[in-house]
Amino acid sequence: MGNTDKHITVLLDEAVEAVLTDPQGVYVDGTFGRGGHSRAILDGLADEGRLYGIDKDPRAIAVGTELAERDRRFAIHHGSFIELDEMLEGTQVDGVLLDLGVSSPQLDSPERGFSFMHDGPLDMRMNTTEGESAADWINRAEEQEISKVIWEYGEDRFSRRMARAIVAAREEAPITTTRRLAEIIAAACPTREKGKHPATRAFQAIRIHINRELDDLIECLDKALEVLKPGGRLVVISFHSLEDRIAKRFIRKHAKGDELPSWLPVREDQLNKRMKPLGKAIKPGKAEVDANPRARSAVMRVAEKLV
């Protein structure tokens, strides 16, 4: 395993402790990555237990395939976590774990195009076997669409300036590398945030758009609720405020139950409450952040299915 395949799993102990309620149960790791959470779950599973891993990344699937060959309790599926219901084929599970965002191996591999720290082809696809690359999109999208993506997913106030600069630059030559895109965006940004490259938010936004990360998360949460057994746990680790907001609102919605007129006389058990949050949001401690600075933005939320 090369240096670009090294990944430090965030909130490892906390996530496994939260999701693993029955050693003989069935679980889904919807974002296998390099298998940190999966291996820890398998360590706590009995022989009768079962774990399914899912990932879009072909490199992650290669790691998962090796693990599946060594451990009959584990199976890996190449695809999006929105396919978990199809993969399970009606099986109800005791826990679903989602560790969102991009893994260190993806960020640290220049050929993947996720980061501007190293120059490489502008790809950004988590599943490199299908879909439109970031270069394909950035060279065909309308200026208004580019601006909207950078604003909505990156929350960058200079999104219009950046989109205008991108469209002007691609008229001279197609934008095909991470370095060139980062330079175009940086030149269009009139101010600098201390300690942050001006292209950080835009790169993040483009990646989210290319991989449909927020749309897939919304769809996956609905499906996760359906495949969980009563008493089953949903654990979501997010690294972006928009992801965390989606998870928080989803749990709150199903913990609150049906929206009914205030004057309508109903009992508590008639509100169709389907989940309950377990504790407050959990964040990495100082020691973990010091050891792995990429953990600093992580937020974990845990909920249990009621009915």
Side-chain angles (χ1 to χ4, degrees):
M1 188 174 291
N3 290 337
T4 56
D5 278 335
K6 291 182 178 178
H7 178 67
I8 302 174
T9 304
V10 176
L11 291 168
L12 176 62
D13 294 337
E14 295 88 343
V16 173
E17 181 180 354
V19 77
L20 187 58
T21 57
D22 178 5
Q24 298 181 353
V26 181
Y27 298 88
V28 175
D29 181 352
T31 46
F32 177 78
R34 293 305 182 266
H37 284 121
S38 282
R39 289 186 180 89
I41 291 171
L42 287 168
D43 286 343
L45 277 187
D47 289 343
E48 300 82 4
R50 186 75 171 165
L51 173 64
Y52 297 90
I54 307 173
D55 210 287
K56 293 180 177 181
D57 191 335
R59 290 189 180 180
I61 295 303
V63 176
T65 300
E66 291 181 4
L67 179 58
E69 290 172 351
R70 296 195 306 268
D71 195 325
R72 62 175 180 77
R73 300 170 301 168
F74 178 73
I76 189 74
H77 173 75
H78 185 201
S80 170
F81 50 37
I82 64 173
E83 300 164 9
L84 65 85
D85 56 338
E86 299 172 21
M87 180 193 70
L88 291 169
E89 297 181 331
T91 300
Q92 294 292 105
V93 303
D94 297 271
V96 175
L97 171 62
L98 305 175
D99 181 7
L100 307 173
V102 184
S103 68
S104 293
Q106 290 170 327
L107 286 171
D108 295 337
S109 299
E111 68 272 16
R112 301 302 299 273
F114 287 109
S115 172
F116 47 77
M117 299 303 292
H118 309 282
D119 194 23
L122 190 60
D123 194 316
M124 294 196 190
R125 290 173 298 165
M126 290 184 180
N127 185 352
T128 54
T129 66
E130 64 181 27
E132 184 177 44
S133 71
D136 291 337
W137 178 75
I138 211 76
N139 285 294
R140 68 140 183 94
E142 298 289 336
E143 179 181 323
Q144 184 177 1
E145 182 183 0
I146 297 171
S147 174
K148 182 180 179 183
V149 164
I150 296 174
W151 170 247
E152 289 188 356
Y153 297 154
E155 299 178 310
D156 197 306
R157 60 196 176 112
F158 300 116
S159 60
R160 291 181 180 177
R161 287 173 176 259
M162 293 173 179
R164 194 177 310 124
I166 288 169
V167 170
R170 76 188 188 192
E171 290 179 357
E172 299 177 8
I175 303 168
T176 59
T177 67
T178 55
R179 179 170 295 166
R180 182 162 181 241
L181 178 60
E183 289 172 350
I184 293 166
I185 292 171
C189 188
T191 63
R192 298 289 187 272
E193 290 183 59
K194 186 177 179 180
K196 181 175 286 190
H197 191 285
T200 300
R201 295 178 185 273
F203 264 65
Q204 181 176 256
I206 294 168
R207 185 206 82 214
I208 289 172
H209 172 73
I210 290 297
N211 295 288
R212 296 186 75 256
E213 291 176 39
L214 300 187
D215 291 336
D216 279 8
L217 176 58
I218 292 169
E219 186 174 345
C220 178
L221 289 174
D222 285 331
K223 291 185 175 182
L225 181 56
E226 297 308 316
V227 302
L228 281 170
K229 299 175 183 176
R233 301 276 182 87
L234 171 67
V235 178
V236 183
I237 303 172
S238 59
F239 294 82
H240 188 289
S241 60
L242 295 177
E243 293 171 338
D244 182 54
R245 197 176 305 159
I246 289 170
K248 181 180 180 180
R249 288 177 176 173
F250 176 82
I251 294 170
R252 180 188 296 164
K253 170 187 174 183
H254 291 286
K256 186 178 180 181
D258 295 334
E259 292 280 354
L260 298 174
S262 58
W263 50 263
L264 190 66
V266 293
R267 298 190 310 270
E268 185 77 8
D269 61 357
Q270 293 177 310
L271 291 175
N272 193 29
K273 295 182 178 182
R274 302 194 66 194
M275 304 192 85
K276 67 175 180 180
L278 298 180
K280 297 181 179 180
I282 298 170
K283 299 182 179 181
K286 183 178 184 302
E288 182 169 5
V289 174
D290 288 345
N292 179 20
R294 286 175 178 168
R296 66 184 178 275
S297 58
V299 179
M300 185 176 86
R301 296 187 184 275
V302 183
E304 184 173 285
K305 182 174 179 178
L306 297 174
V307 292

